[in-house]
Amino acid sequence: MTEFLETTYEKFIFKVKVGYLYSQEEFWTNFENGAATMGLTDFMQKAKGDVAFLETVEPGLEVKRGDDIGKIETIKATFAIISPVSGKLIEVNPEIDASPFLINQDP
């Protein structure tokens, strides 16, 4: 079970997953079984609004930390997905790929 720290700012409650690493670009990374999983921070998904569109690079691509590996379009903005780590992109979550709005439910 994932443990969270929470803080409240104005009317918003922000959650931070304990034990995960966070980049300045507002992406988190979790290392498990030799692979890294990454996602958007709770703060960023709330600040940018409802996700309408997601575009990612194809699995199999070698990426370096800081590479642009896709984009997210919300009702407020379009922004790049910046890889917080270097390595080979193994897969994109098929649920998120098919229904990008799920990012707002579980970033």
Side-chain angles (χ1 to χ4, degrees), residues 8-76:
T8 303
Y9 179 74
E10 294 182 358
K11 64 178 182 174
F12 299 104
I13 298 173
F14 298 104
K15 294 181 179 182
V16 177
K17 296 176 182 181
V18 174
Y20 287 28
L21 300 175
Y22 291 84
S23 70
Q24 292 179 342
E25 294 83 14
E26 294 293 336
F27 294 93
W28 57 260
T29 306
N30 183 39
F31 295 94
E32 193 173 321
N33 299 324
T37 303
M38 68 164 284
L40 187 64
T41 64
D42 189 39
F43 174 80
M44 182 70 107
Q45 69 87 17
K46 286 179 179 165
K48 297 294 185 181
D50 294 337
V51 174
F53 179 76
L54 170 72
E55 179 181 306
T56 60
V57 296
E58 292 295 317
L61 182 69
E62 290 285 337
V63 299
K64 292 183 180 164
R65 183 187 182 287
D67 282 356
D68 181 338
I69 59 172
K71 70 178 178 178
I72 295 176
E73 188 174 316
T74 72
I75 59 172
K76 295 181 181 179

Side-chain angles (χ1 to χ4, degrees), residues 86-97:
S86 297
K88 184 176 184 178
L89 180 64
I90 299 170
E91 71 177 324
V92 175
N93 181 337
E95 290 180 33
I96 296 297
D97 207 26

